[in-house]
Amino acid sequence: MTMDSSNSSSNEISRDKNNNNNNEISDGLPLVQCVARARIPTTQGPDIFLHLYSNDRDNKEHLAIVFGEDIRSRSLFRRRPHETQQDRMIRGAYIGKLYPGRTVADEDDRLGLALEFDERTGELLASTATTWDPHHHTLVRIHSECYTGENAWSARCDCGEQFDRAGRLIACDREPSSNIQGGNGHGVIVYLRQEGRGIGLGEKLKAYNLQDLGADTVQANLMLKHPVDARDFSLGKAILLDLGVANIRLLTNNPEKIKQVEHVPLLKCVERVPMVPIHWTNSSEGIDSKEIEGYLRTKIERMGHLLTEPLKLHTNPQPTETNQKQTQMNSALSSSSTLAI
């Protein structure tokens, strides 16, 4: 995805900076503002509601892919001075479903639903009749942008597979192949614009060339003088708080996400749901390539990812020309960089 933040988004965050309920609970978190929300019918199942966020930390527009009409952004739904009901419908701050001729955003007379607001602040008053209960255990994926895996059919990583599977898991009641309990149509994929574990697409492509020369994904980042993982998940945390979820079942293998996502007592990870590569459990499906095996091995051995491995790890293969080149590269790397994970 290649969206850039607009001036209107920046102005939106500035106008609301002093009137955002996140200010009271953020405790140093980024200030996020949901700019717009729209219903997206999908090819795979239920409608989703795409939320576009601006923030005060970077000039990128991050996303929340929300399953469930009743999971509501507090910053989007807050009533604003001098706005009309038409203004609210256009930006997506409506209840129920839009239809031709509808004139009121805060009530859907066809469904018999109505929102309530604090008369003084304009804040949405969350009711269990209209808004997702924050104490429900909500299935969540915090996903970092991966152009190559999501749009270029890359078999170097499992990012595209994880993104697609997260959507299927949130939509279903239970996944038959794994018996994982799904979200039954309620959940969130927070989509953060952190390409290449935070180094950007251009540097990521350079890292791929280094990998073809024998480096692994960790070594390639270090050789380009980048951190092993430059991502910051605090934006994801702020977005989840804005969406009003409190207890999350986190779809991840990354222990760092588990550490970073919690904001006790407002946001707690009540369960880690593993993302086991599909090919590991069904040899006729998923991604099958030597690149993906090396990538997953590195994530397990060097980045501490929580995967039960079918791979032969920590082996000592017989020296080959490729092994010798790898040894030379490791030696060069160790002389100029220190690995700290």
Side-chain angles (χ1 to χ4, degrees), residues 43-238:
T43 60
Q44 299 297 322
D47 292 353
I48 58 99
F49 288 82
L50 191 62
H51 295 58
L52 184 69
Y53 279 88
S54 60
N55 71 91
D56 66 347
R57 291 287 177 89
D58 61 34
N59 62 355
K60 298 177 181 178
E61 291 175 324
H62 303 272
L63 298 164
I65 301 167
V66 175
F67 293 68
E69 187 275 338
D70 55 351
I71 298 179
R72 306 195 188 283
S73 159
R74 279 29 179 190
S75 60
L76 181 81
F77 274 85
R78 182 185 307 107
R79 281 181 169 171
R80 301 174 186 175
H82 313 300
E83 70 176 352
T84 66
Q85 290 290 299
Q86 181 79 353
D87 293 334
R88 292 178 62 77
M89 286 191 289
I90 290 171
R91 76 164 183 267
Y94 64 86
I95 189 171
K97 193 169 184 178
L98 297 181
Y99 52 82
R102 181 169 168 176
T103 59
V104 178
D106 299 335
E107 298 180 16
D108 186 331
D109 56 359
R110 292 185 177 183
L111 297 177
L113 298 171
L115 297 173
E116 296 180 359
F117 300 86
D118 184 297
E119 291 297 328
R120 183 179 62 84
T121 66
E123 298 288 344
L124 175 69
L125 298 176
S127 161
T128 54
T130 61
T131 305
W132 182 247
D133 187 336
H135 297 103
H136 287 324
H137 291 186
T138 306
L139 195 57
V140 168
R141 164 85 181 159
I142 298 179
H143 187 90
S144 296
E145 177 182 34
C146 178
Y147 183 89
T148 51
E150 296 157 6
N151 298 287
W153 311 286
S154 173
R156 287 184 182 268
C157 67
D158 58 344
C159 302
E161 176 180 288
Q162 289 188 338
F163 180 79
D164 292 342
R165 190 175 180 204
R168 291 195 299 270
L169 281 166
I170 292 171
C172 76
D173 177 50
R174 190 172 294 274
E175 185 180 57
S177 61
S178 66
N179 204 36
I180 290 175
Q181 180 183 346
N184 198 22
H186 275 90
V188 180
I189 300 175
V190 178
Y191 190 93
L192 300 178
R193 305 281 310 288
Q194 301 186 126
E195 180 73 54
R197 295 203 301 277
I199 68 174
L201 184 56
E203 293 298 282
K204 176 180 174 180
L205 297 181
K206 295 176 185 177
Y208 281 172
N209 291 330
L210 284 170
Q211 290 172 38
D212 283 344
L213 289 168
D216 64 33
T217 182
V218 167
Q219 293 166 335
N221 272 29
L222 292 173
M223 293 174 76
L224 291 169
K225 303 188 185 307
H226 296 298
V228 173
D229 193 338
R231 291 175 296 178
D232 178 1
F233 299 111
S234 63
L235 274 166
K237 185 190 305 189

Side-chain angles (χ1 to χ4, degrees), residues 236-268:
K237 185 190 305 189
I239 288 171
L240 290 172
L241 287 168
D242 180 65
L243 290 169
V245 296
N247 297 323
I248 66 171
R249 304 173 58 227
L250 189 63
L251 286 158
T252 189
N253 301 320
N254 187 347
E256 192 59 32
K257 281 186 185 177
I258 301 170
K259 292 178 185 177
Q260 289 199 36
V261 75
E262 290 206 323
H263 196 74
V264 179
L266 300 171
L267 186 63
K268 294 183 289 185

